Structures are given as structure tokens and as C-alpha cells.
Amino acid sequence: MASMLPLLYWADPVQSAAVFTPVIAFLLAVQYNSLISVLAYSALLLLVLVGVCNVYVYTMVVLLKKLPDEPSSDPLYKVYGADLTIPAEDVVKISNCTTDIVNSGLTELKRLFFCENIIDTVKFGISLYCLTYIGSWFNLLTVIILAWTGLFTLPKVYINNQAAIDDAVISVKTVIDGLKAKISALVPVTTAEDKKEE
């Protein structure tokens, strides 16, 4: 995660743009075309790009002799050496991490659906109700596009306006904590242990 922060903060704009642009282009393309068409056209574009680079290198090295006859003359020289294999250890780490996330998520959903804490269940129900409105306004792909764009813009906005945003968050948090205290005083909280004792 720490290696992602410079990308999100646009420390190197070229590298951040190289990550942001293809993903947003893919998401926008899938928004308006089928996934199969987008994948086929993307692969075709990549094939044409490699072909044009090969023709360029052949023309500049062999025919015109303007570039030296060495691998570094090819614009895709660094890409050819890229290792595309996935180590087995990484797959095991990812599967273990994914299993932990799924298990904790399922445990939390069970807790919320079976009303082990009534306040959390009510908050969950309100969140689901709000999601019905979001779902009626946007489809999932639009939400993903907005999230991807926000992932690359909000950290930079926060860095540029950190003091003002921190003050606003503190004041909102104070109000929310006050509301939670009032609601907790009005509604008795029962936990799973209380239900077992009864």
C-alpha cells in the first residue's frame, strides 16, 4: 500500500497518468461497449502498436541506418524484458488475504443481519436503503469510474487543503458523536452475550 501513495499523490505525474489513464479509458469503454468488444479492440490496438514499433525499428536501423543496430534502439526494449510470471508465493499470500477478508466480511454480515447489536443493524439498514437510491441514480460501472477518479484526485486535494479539511472533519465528527450518544441513551443496546444470558 505504501508504494501506491506516490501514485495517488501524483509525485511523478507521468507514472500516475500511466496508471490512471488506461484504467479510466477501459472503464469508460466498457460503459458504452461490450466487454468482449473492448478486449478485442484493446488487443488489436496493442498488436498494431507493436507492429508499428517493429516497422519503425526496421526502417530506422536497417533501411535508413539512423539508429545503431542494438536492442536499445527499439522503443519497446524495456517491455520485452518484463517478467510476466506470477510467483506461487504471491498467489498464496493473496489467497490467504482474500480468505481472511471474505471470512471477516461474512461474520460481520451475519452479526448485522441477525441483530446482535440493534444500533449497528439499524445503521446497516439505513445504509442499504441509501444504496437503493444510489443504485437508481447510477449503475455499478459509473460508481467504479467515480471511485477510480476520486482515488487519484482526493488525496491531492487533501494535501493541498489539509488544514481546512481537518477542521471540517473534526467538527462533523463532534456532531456525529453527540448524535450517537443521544441515540444510545434512548435505545437500549443488546449484545449477543445479553441474548444468551436470557
Side-chain angles (χ1 to χ4, degrees), residues 118-119 122 181-190:
I118 192 69
I119 292 179
V122 169
K182 289 178 184 177
I183 291 172
S184 295
L186 293 175
V187 178
V189 177
T190 59

Side-chain angles (χ1 to χ4, degrees), residues 18-71:
V19 172
F20 175 75
T21 304
V23 174
I24 198 73
F26 175 78
L27 291 173
L28 289 172
V30 171
Q31 177 82 18
Y32 298 106
N33 300 302
S34 72
L35 179 62
I36 293 172
S37 296
V38 171
L39 290 177
Y41 280 118
S42 298
L44 189 60
L45 180 66
L46 184 63
L47 185 63
V48 167
L49 176 70
V50 171
V52 167
C53 282
N54 287 336
V55 168
Y56 167 78
V57 170
Y58 181 77
T59 304
M60 297 303 281
V61 172
V62 176
L63 296 178
L64 300 175
K65 298 189 186 331
K66 292 194 175 196
L67 292 175
D69 189 11
E70 56 189 40

Side-chain angles (χ1 to χ4, degrees), residues 41-173:
Y41 280 118
S42 298
L44 189 60
L45 180 66
L46 184 63
L47 185 63
V48 167
L49 176 70
V50 171
V52 167
C53 282
N54 287 336
V55 168
Y56 167 78
V57 170
Y58 181 77
T59 304
M60 297 303 281
V61 172
V62 176
L63 296 178
L64 300 175
K65 298 189 186 331
K66 292 194 175 196
L67 292 175
D69 189 11
E70 56 189 40
S72 63
S73 298
D74 192 346
L76 298 177
Y77 170 70
K78 292 182 180 177
V79 178
Y80 294 144
D83 183 22
L84 298 179
T85 59
I86 300 173
E89 299 85 27
D90 290 349
V91 174
V92 170
K93 287 178 189 174
I94 291 171
S95 65
N96 288 340
C97 181
T98 304
T99 303
D100 292 343
I101 291 171
V102 168
N103 287 339
S104 64
L106 290 174
T107 303
E108 184 66 16
L109 285 174
K110 177 183 172 188
R111 187 182 73 78
L112 291 171
F113 276 109
F114 292 135
C115 300
E116 291 181 12
N117 184 335
I118 192 69
I119 292 179
D120 288 344
T121 301
V122 169
K123 288 191 284 189
F124 180 63
I126 292 170
S127 299
L128 291 177
Y129 185 73
C130 291
L131 282 176
T132 62
Y133 280 103
I134 292 172
S136 67
W137 296 331
F138 308 109
N139 65 21
L140 180 62
L141 199 51
T142 305
V143 173
I144 291 171
I145 290 169
L146 290 173
W148 183 254
T149 306
L151 184 68
F152 276 84
T153 56
L154 294 179
K156 189 67 173 176
V157 169
Y158 176 73
I159 286 175
N160 292 341
N161 304 302
Q162 190 170 2
I165 291 173
D166 287 346
D167 291 341
V169 167
I170 289 171
S171 64
V172 168
K173 189 173 183 201

